[in-house]
């Protein structure tokens, strides 16, 4: 009705190169590299209300990954390293067209221009072992993150499975220690001293990487030779849980974090590969996710700067019930029909 128009666009140019070298029947090396330019723009026309927002963010990224795999008896040993260097540039501004919609003291115009490198490195080693009906995968990973903070972590990983031939059954369990860096979308703006001038009441905390423990247990069972059941239970305990917030009703977001999150759930899938021209599957899953106050990182202005220190709330991974099914029938060698259902409930 106000004739406002806001446009966003994304332009990306990317180049990828890969090289694989076989030293012998037991040793293989793999190298991959990537460079890309990415630009995100946001424009508002003069009728936009209550605010005209403009953004021109872009980054140039150089990525490299190298790994060596060695087969030796029952062992498959793999080691590698990664380097991801991203050079961030942010250009953000606004003009308030309806001051009544903002807190007193909010500047009517604002502009921010900033740049900073985001440097991330990692290295890992793992061993996949086959011991008769047992399979064990153990590894260790190191991660380093340097943007506005300088953090590093060591993450052990372990998975074990056991196959029971007489029952056509596989049981498995895994544990991962996870290190996840925050999103860099508008992180320079939300971490700048200029951002605190947007409102007389503000809260600004550095966004640290998330660290968590991921556990999963499950089974795979084969019935009648070709019907397969996969069932899993998972639980994730994450500290400094990453999330994002938005500027008004725009698509412009910036990273925030909460004290912790607990996410758990289960999933099951019954798969019929091929039976008298029929094939298909049916699956069910649920996931419950709660984030816990208080916030530990991000920018909060005005009323949102008054943050609860206790309590919890469902997060975006909270999907209570999801049911999917698909059935296909092969009418002729080149003609088939299929139908499916996809239903979910999200809190």
């Amino acid at each position: 009705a106000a004739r406002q128009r806001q446009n966003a666009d994304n332009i990306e140019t990317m180049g990828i190169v890969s090289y694989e070298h076989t030293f012998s029947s037991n040793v293989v090396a793999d190298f991959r590299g990537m460079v890309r330019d990415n630009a995100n723009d946001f424009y508002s026309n003069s009728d936009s209300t209550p605010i005209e927002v403009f953004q021109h963010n872009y980054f140039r990224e150089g990525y490299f990954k190298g790994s060596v795999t060695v087969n030796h008896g029952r062992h498959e040993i793999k080691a590698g390293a990664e380097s991801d260097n991203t050079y961030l540039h942010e250009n953000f501004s606004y003009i308030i067209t309806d001051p009544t919609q903002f807190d007193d003291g909010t500047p009517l115009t604002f502009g921010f221009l900033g740049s900073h490198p985001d440097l991330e490195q990692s290295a890992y080693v793992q061993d996949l072992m086959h011991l008769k009906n047992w399979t064990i995968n153990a590894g260790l990973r190191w991660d380093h993150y340097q943007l506005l903070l300088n953090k590093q972590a060591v993450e052990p990983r372990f998975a074990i499975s056991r196959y029971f031939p007489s029952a056509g059954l596989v049981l498995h369990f895994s544990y991962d220690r996870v290190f996840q860096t925050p999103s860099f979308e508008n992180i320079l703006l939300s971490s700048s001293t200029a951002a605190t001038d947007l409102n007389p009441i503000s809260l600004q905390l550095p966004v640290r990487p998330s660290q968590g423990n991921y556990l999963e247990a499950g089974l795979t069972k084969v019935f009648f030779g070709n019907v397969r059941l996969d069932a899993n239970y998972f639980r994730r305990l994450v500290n400094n849980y990453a999330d994002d917030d938005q500027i008004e009703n725009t698509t412009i977001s910036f990273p925030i974090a909460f004290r912790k999150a607990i996410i758990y759930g289960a999933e099951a899938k019954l798969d019929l590969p091929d039976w008298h021209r029929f094939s298909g599957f049916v699956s069910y899953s649920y996931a419950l996710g709660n984030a816990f106050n208080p916030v530990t990182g991000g920018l909060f202005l005005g009323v949102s700067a008054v943050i609860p220190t206790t309590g919890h709330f469902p997060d975006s991974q909270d999907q209570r019930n999801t049911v999917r099914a698909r059935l296909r029938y092969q009418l002729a060698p080149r003609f088939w029909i299929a139908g499916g259902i996809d239903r979910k409930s999200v809190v």
Side-chain angles (χ1 to χ4, degrees):
R3 300 188 302 276
Q4 85 167 356
R5 183 179 181 88
Q6 295 176 327
N7 297 329
D9 61 49
N10 174 265
I11 300 173
E12 183 175 76
T13 304
M14 179 189 300
I16 299 174
V17 62
S18 63
Y19 173 73
E20 184 176 285
H21 184 76
T22 302
F23 292 95
S24 69
S25 59
N26 295 319
V27 182
V28 177
D30 183 73
F31 304 96
R32 299 177 184 272
M34 178 197 71
V35 292
R36 65 168 173 156
D37 285 329
N38 185 289
N40 291 281
D41 298 312
F42 191 92
Y43 309 98
S44 302
N45 68 352
S46 58
D47 293 319
S48 295
T49 183
I51 187 173
E52 298 176 31
V53 178
F54 305 92
Q55 175 182 269
H56 176 60
N57 288 0
Y58 66 96
F59 64 83
R60 176 165 293 174
E61 180 181 16
Y63 171 81
F64 172 79
K65 176 182 179 180
S67 64
V68 177
T69 303
V70 179
N71 284 296
H72 180 69
R74 297 177 176 178
H75 299 267
E76 182 181 297
I77 302 170
K78 187 174 182 178
E82 293 177 88
S83 177
D84 193 358
N85 302 314
T86 306
Y87 299 89
L88 305 175
H89 302 271
E90 295 182 9
N91 187 348
F92 173 84
S93 63
Y94 73 69
I95 301 172
I96 291 179
T97 56
D98 185 0
T100 63
Q101 301 298 315
F102 296 85
D103 295 341
D104 293 338
T106 302
L108 297 181
T109 61
F110 176 80
F112 173 79
L113 185 65
S115 60
H116 204 283
D118 176 4
L119 308 178
E120 302 179 25
Q121 304 87 33
S122 63
Y124 66 92
V125 60
Q126 66 183 42
D127 186 5
L128 177 63
M129 295 167 278
H130 300 281
L131 306 171
K132 294 185 178 181
N133 294 327
W134 293 88
T135 300
I136 300 173
N137 194 338
L140 193 66
R141 180 182 176 94
W142 168 81
D143 278 289
H144 175 245
Y145 166 73
Q146 183 176 352
L147 179 52
L148 302 177
L149 298 174
N150 193 336
K151 298 291 183 179
Q152 60 180 326
V154 176
E155 308 114 67
R157 300 180 176 188
F158 177 79
I160 185 171
S161 65
R162 172 72 158 88
Y163 174 53
F164 299 88
S166 59
L169 175 68
V170 176
L171 299 178
H172 63 85
F173 170 81
S174 66
Y175 165 77
D176 288 338
R177 177 68 176 172
V178 177
F179 179 85
Q180 180 181 355
T181 60
S183 167
F184 57 65
E185 183 72 19
N186 291 301
I187 193 170
L188 303 183
L189 167 63
S190 61
S191 302
S192 67
T193 55
T196 59
D197 296 332
L198 294 174
N199 196 290
I201 303 175
S202 65
L203 174 65
Q204 186 182 58
L205 299 169
V207 184
R208 295 172 294 167
S210 303
Q211 290 185 279
N213 298 307
Y214 284 22
L215 300 114
E216 181 176 315
L219 61 86
T220 298
K221 168 70 176 174
V222 177
F223 301 92
F224 312 114
N226 63 346
V227 179
R228 191 177 76 176
L229 171 67
D230 291 301
N232 299 285
Y233 174 82
F234 63 88
R235 189 173 184 88
R236 301 168 182 170
L237 310 174
V238 185
N239 293 320
N240 199 53
Y241 181 67
D243 204 344
D244 59 78
D245 202 356
Q246 291 177 297
I247 297 177
E248 292 297 320
N249 61 344
T250 70
T251 59
I252 298 176
S253 63
F254 52 90
I256 61 175
F258 293 89
R259 177 171 63 92
K260 71 174 184 177
I262 299 176
I263 303 163
Y264 63 93
E267 52 193 6
K269 182 179 181 181
L270 193 64
D271 199 351
L272 177 65
D274 189 21
W275 180 75
H276 297 289
R277 295 190 179 185
F278 285 96
S279 62
F281 72 88
V282 59
S283 68
Y284 169 79
S285 65
Y286 78 90
L288 280 72
N290 286 296
F292 290 77
N293 291 313
V295 297
T296 57
L299 174 67
F300 302 88
L301 303 173
V303 176
S304 64
V306 183
I307 303 297
T309 57
T310 59
H312 60 83
F313 56 91
D315 86 312
S316 58
Q317 296 191 44
D318 196 301
Q319 299 184 11
R320 297 299 171 90
N321 298 284
T322 301
V323 178
R324 294 187 176 95
R326 179 179 171 86
L327 182 65
R328 168 175 163 165
Y329 180 69
Q330 194 77 35
L331 292 170
R334 297 184 179 182
F335 184 68
W336 52 266
I337 58 175
I341 183 174
D342 190 334
R343 181 178 178 86
K344 67 176 64 178
S345 61
V346 181
V347 175

